[in-house]
Amino acid sequence: MNRTTLRLVILMGALALVLGFYTLRLVKMQIVEGEAYQALANSSYVRLQEEPAARGEIVDRYGRPLAVNRVGYNITFDRAFLPQGEENEVILRLIEIMEGTEDEWIDRLPITLQEPFAYLEGYEGQVTRLKNRLGLGEYATAQDAMHWLTDRYGLEDYTPEEARKIAAVRYEMEQQGFNLSTPYTFAEDVQPSTMIKVEERGFELPGVGATQSAVREYVEPDLAPHLIGQIGPIYAEELEQLQDEGYSGTDLIGKSGIEQAYEEELRGTDGTRQITVSSTGDILDITTTKEPIPGNTIMLTIDRDLQRVAQEALKAQIKNLQATAAEGRGKEADSGAVVAIEVATGDVLACATYPSYSLDTYNQDYSQLASDPLRPLWNRALYGTYRPGSIFKPSVAVAALTEGVITPDTIVNCTRIYTYYDDYQPSCLYYNGPINVVGALQVSCNYFFYDVGRQLGIDKIAEYATRFGLGQPTGIELPEETGHAATPELKLELTGEEWVPGDTLQAAIGQQENQFTPLQLANYTATLANNGTRMKVNLVRAIKSADFEETIYDRVPQVVEQIDSPDAFETVRQGMILASLPGGTSSATFGDYPISVASKTGTPETSAVMVNSTYICYAPAEDPVIAVAVVIEKGWQGYTGAPVAKAIFDEYFFSENDYAAASAQGVVEP
């Protein structure tokens, strides 16, 4: 074989090897691995999607659930598959499907559904946000807003009613930053039948799908709503600040109560998953790349059953006064609050406000709730400030005994009209005659405390009020009003008027500018019961991991003030015990009660014609474990609050659950 032929053979052999190699690769790719490569050929992209973490639960002091999660289904929009320019048509088709179901879609546009368009009552904040978003002036009408929304979203070819419905969705999409990486939730927690209807019409609804989600559920939605609070969507203006904290426009966030105060603990840590999607929109693969970590469990100090009793008792007593009391003597009672505190720890066992609302229907009822003149959304227990009236007298008594102004044996002769000053002579309800501090507390003698308050002076009265925590932050984990104790400086600031001697007399009986919250009054009562040891108020007992295996935080009772005057507190205790017995101001309720109760009634005057009812008590009087404060607006006499406290004591001491023993042992039943 000559050299030329050899070269040709080698060249042909090499060519055959190359062709053979590529032939084998083609066979492998098209036949052996054909399906896999076909899937890859169809794959348009791979994207990462957050896998939301389950929100932490909220439970009572014994681990019984108050706010939990369950599996639900949402209808969502995905920007990647929603054709540009067809948004309005897709939205309208979806709305028409939803109108044939029992489910509702999210519509937060504060404009009526039909012409002539008007702003919804009670939605002032949302209306302001809408005007700002559209660049409208303060006096722009709802018709003006609809004109701009129609132009903004290209809704000119739709009827006004259709345009209003579509605009609500487009506006909310914009508010929540709807984009390729942030889907939009159109409807939450829909029924399976609704989900099926949407999926069956999927060919008409590009970009629309059903997703599984954790739905917040309140076990008893009308139980302690002011404390538990609500969650809600994140709006565009909020998202600008929250993005750095890992939030997206589809997240829900705590808006009030514990849900807001402990958002960081409750929210958990989202996971991520990788989704491979074909060019036809089919999901080829879902792989979890980071497991979500559920939020922590917040264990409150409140007792679920005691909270229920407190709410029902407060409501029942107000309704009873409306039905049975005479005009001007309690018939006008319409609202109030009650707080029960564990004396040894400062734990809030119950905290109720009336009127109230349900967390389940908060969104649907918001307009009515917000416009109700009785303000059911307002947490009176923490935000309401009230003159205490005569329930302030134990504080003055402790101050006078501690400072040596009086002794337990000091006698003041009550002649009903206090005549020490020529130009101001206030009166007492009765001619009590010679009376000491124990008797004055028993019958609530104003004359005695006018005289003691005059000798003690306003500076000492205000000092001891402050030491009792009145007009001071309680330390509770939620926002609260602090109120204020009466002082000359405060009067000048509030009224522009100078302090006069008669103001001291009024301050000594809980009038003047004394303004305190029911929560402060309850902790003041617990401090009286605790012989001057004032505790920091707690609403959160512990923070646990979702599986209860780890304790992140465990409440340690904290002393914030000590009034070291045991004899003074014992003397005041004697007077408050007598106030509960025959001859005392709340004997009708506790005169024959099987447990000794120390109490004090108050009938503070207000700027209105009607007077409020204030009431404090603790039990057992000799070894106190629970303290209660009740305020009933327009309740007339302090003793009208006593039945509310009695219902709480009945549940605490005599129910099948031994609350006192369980609390003492620190029992927790997850």
Side-chain angles (χ1 to χ4, degrees):
M1 182 181 298
N2 58 36
R3 184 174 294 181
T4 302
T5 304
L6 178 60
R7 288 178 178 174
L8 183 59
V9 170
I10 293 172
L11 182 59
M12 293 297 291
L15 182 59
L17 285 173
V18 172
L19 290 174
F21 173 77
Y22 279 107
T23 300
L24 289 173
R25 286 293 296 158
L26 287 172
V27 169
K28 185 179 180 182
M29 292 173 63
Q30 295 182 13
I31 299 176
V32 179
E33 299 175 348
E35 292 184 5
Y37 280 104
Q38 182 64 43
L40 287 173
N42 290 336
S43 177
S44 58
Y45 63 92
V46 174
R47 62 181 174 132
L48 290 177
Q49 187 180 74
E50 285 192 346
E51 190 169 351
R55 193 169 180 82
E57 296 187 347
I58 301 173
V59 301
D60 83 340
R61 68 187 292 111
Y62 302 117
R64 295 174 295 192
L66 301 172
V68 297
N69 302 303
R70 63 174 172 79
V71 175
Y73 293 94
N74 296 342
I75 304 299
T76 60
F77 279 90
D78 189 326
R79 176 77 267 181
F81 304 110
L82 181 60
Q84 194 80 22
E86 297 182 25
E87 296 93 340
N88 295 337
E89 278 300 307
V90 174
I91 290 170
L92 186 57
R93 289 189 207 114
L94 183 56
I95 287 174
E96 289 171 349
I97 294 172
M98 293 292 292
E99 287 176 335
T101 72
E102 296 180 0
D103 289 308
E104 297 180 352
W105 63 93
I106 295 171
D107 184 342
R108 296 191 177 98
L109 190 65
I111 295 176
T112 54
L113 292 173
Q114 296 177 329
E115 285 193 305
F117 294 117
Y119 293 123
L120 296 175
E121 294 183 5
Y123 287 77
E124 288 77 12
Q126 292 90 326
V127 170
T128 300
R129 184 184 296 118
L130 174 65
K131 290 177 181 177
N132 291 339
R133 191 76 179 178
L134 299 178
L136 299 178
E138 179 182 354
Y139 299 103
T141 67
Q143 291 288 157
D144 295 332
M146 276 306 306
H147 170 77
W148 283 100
L149 287 168
T150 299
D151 181 67
R152 190 184 192 97
Y153 302 127
L155 302 173
E156 296 84 356
D157 295 334
Y158 296 91
T159 68
E161 288 73 19
E162 289 174 339
R164 161 62 182 78
K165 293 174 185 176
I166 298 170
V169 178
R170 295 292 301 272
Y171 175 70
E172 194 68 19
M173 283 178 167
E174 188 175 335
Q175 286 281 90
Q176 295 191 30
F178 177 52
N179 56 37
L180 286 172
S181 59
T182 304
Y184 170 70
T185 300
F186 171 81
E188 296 175 322
D189 194 23
V190 300
Q191 300 176 79
S193 58
T194 300
M195 181 184 66
I196 291 170
K197 286 183 179 180
V198 171
E199 290 181 337
E200 286 176 344
R201 300 276 294 277
F203 64 94
E204 300 178 64
L205 304 169
V208 177
T211 59
Q212 186 173 300
S213 66
V215 177
R216 199 60 159 172
E217 186 169 66
Y218 301 98
V219 178
E220 295 184 65
D222 61 342
L223 189 74
H226 300 90
L227 301 182
I228 295 172
Q230 306 91 28
I231 59 175
I234 297 173
Y235 290 107
E237 60 268 27
E238 298 173 303
L239 188 57
E240 293 177 6
Q241 298 177 341
L242 294 172
Q243 274 180 328
D244 292 340
E245 299 176 31
Y247 286 93
S248 68
T250 59
D251 288 333
L252 296 175
I253 192 171
K255 295 291 187 178
S256 66
I258 289 294
E259 294 277 25
Q260 181 183 44
Y262 282 81
E263 169 66 23
E264 185 174 346
E265 294 289 346
L266 288 165
R267 66 178 290 207
T269 303
D270 290 343
T272 56
R273 54 190 175 190
Q274 180 177 287
I275 302 175
T276 305
V277 184
S278 73
S279 59
T280 59
D282 296 323
I283 295 176
L284 303 176
D285 181 60
I286 299 177
T287 303
T288 297
T289 55
K290 178 185 174 184
E291 292 287 348
I293 302 172
N296 294 320
T297 297
I298 307 298
M299 178 176 284
L300 302 184
T301 60
I302 68 169
D303 178 279
R304 184 187 65 187
D305 297 336
L306 208 62
Q307 176 72 23
R308 170 63 61 193
V309 168
Q311 290 182 194
E312 292 178 348
L314 179 63
K315 177 180 178 180
Q317 180 62 354
I318 291 173
K319 294 295 184 183
N320 178 60
L321 289 171
Q322 292 173 348
T324 64
E327 291 186 5
R329 290 174 168 260
K331 191 176 187 65
E332 297 78 10
D334 56 15
S335 52
V338 56
V339 180
I341 286 182
E342 188 175 60
V343 171
T345 63
D347 285 359
V348 176
L349 299 174
C351 182
T353 290
Y354 180 84
S356 188
Y357 64 97
S358 170
L359 290 168
D360 268 1
T361 58
Y362 169 80
N363 289 324
Q364 300 93 301
D365 298 342
Y366 179 81
S367 178
Q368 178 184 346
L369 293 169
S371 60
D372 190 324
L374 293 181
R375 303 170 71 186
L377 297 176
W378 190 45
N379 187 347
R380 285 173 163 81
L382 272 63
Y383 301 150
T385 56
Y386 303 90
R387 282 180 176 170
S390 292
I391 63 173
F392 187 68
K393 290 173 181 175
S395 169
V396 176
V398 168
L401 289 163
T402 303
E403 296 296 324
V405 172
I406 61 170
T407 72
D409 299 322
T410 298
I411 299 295
V412 172
N413 185 29
C414 171
T415 58
R416 190 167 181 270
I417 305 299
Y418 189 70
T419 59
Y420 186 86
Y421 298 112
D422 293 334
D423 58 347
Y424 181 68
Q425 298 185 348
S427 64
C428 190
L429 289 174
Y430 307 103
Y431 293 96
N432 291 307
I435 194 169
N436 63 12
V437 63
V438 171
L441 289 169
Q442 177 188 15
V443 299
S444 198
C445 176
N446 282 351
Y447 191 108
F448 181 92
F449 284 96
Y450 291 146
D451 197 55
V452 170
R454 176 187 60 79
Q455 297 179 65
L456 187 61
I458 188 58
D459 290 342
K460 284 296 178 181
I461 293 173
E463 176 190 329
Y464 276 80
T466 299
R467 296 185 70 184
F468 274 107
L470 297 170
Q472 301 297 309
T474 66
I476 196 168
E477 295 86 346
L478 296 181
E480 62 174 330
E481 287 292 332
T482 55
H484 41 70
T487 64
E489 295 78 14
L490 181 66
K491 181 185 178 183
L492 183 63
E493 177 186 340
L494 295 178
T495 68
E497 299 177 359
E498 297 289 339
W499 191 265
V500 296
D503 292 330
T504 301
L505 306 188
Q506 287 300 309
I509 63 168
Q511 292 291 139
Q512 231 284 323
E513 297 299 340
N514 287 310
Q515 294 277 343
F516 313 127
T517 68
L519 180 66
Q520 289 173 343
L521 294 173
N523 201 37
Y524 154 62
T525 309
T527 306
L528 289 169
N530 215 11
N531 292 322
T533 301
R534 176 161 64 93
M535 309 299 295
K536 172 185 175 294
V537 173
N538 310 295
L539 184 59
V540 174
R541 188 178 190 184
I543 301 175
K544 303 277 188 177
S545 59
D547 57 8
F548 265 76
E549 292 296 320
E550 181 185 356
T551 298
I552 290 91
Y553 162 80
D554 198 4
R555 177 270 295 134
V556 176
Q558 180 181 344
V559 176
V560 294
E561 178 65 71
Q562 179 67 58
I563 303 173
D564 190 12
S565 186
D567 292 342
F569 283 98
E570 182 55 36
T571 299
V572 169
R573 187 188 323 276
Q574 293 173 18
M576 293 178 68
I577 290 173
L578 289 177
S580 302
L581 297 175
T585 53
S586 59
S587 61
T589 300
F590 287 116
D592 58 355
Y593 201 64
I595 291 178
S596 62
V597 175
S599 68
K600 188 70 195 77
T601 56
T603 311
E605 297 176 1
T606 69
S607 56
V609 176
M610 305 297 171
V611 296
N612 291 336
S613 163
T614 58
Y615 187 78
I616 60 172
C617 59
Y618 59 83
E622 293 80 10
D623 188 17
V625 294
I626 182 172
V628 176
V630 184
V631 174
I632 299 178
E633 296 183 25
K634 307 172 192 172
W636 184 55
Q637 290 286 346
Y639 59 73
T640 62
V644 181
K646 179 180 179 295
I648 292 173
F649 287 168
D650 288 347
E651 174 68 18
Y652 188 88
F653 293 112
F654 305 118
S655 71
E656 293 180 0
N657 300 311
D658 191 345
Y659 296 100
S663 294
Q665 296 169 16
V667 173
V668 175
E669 301 173 357

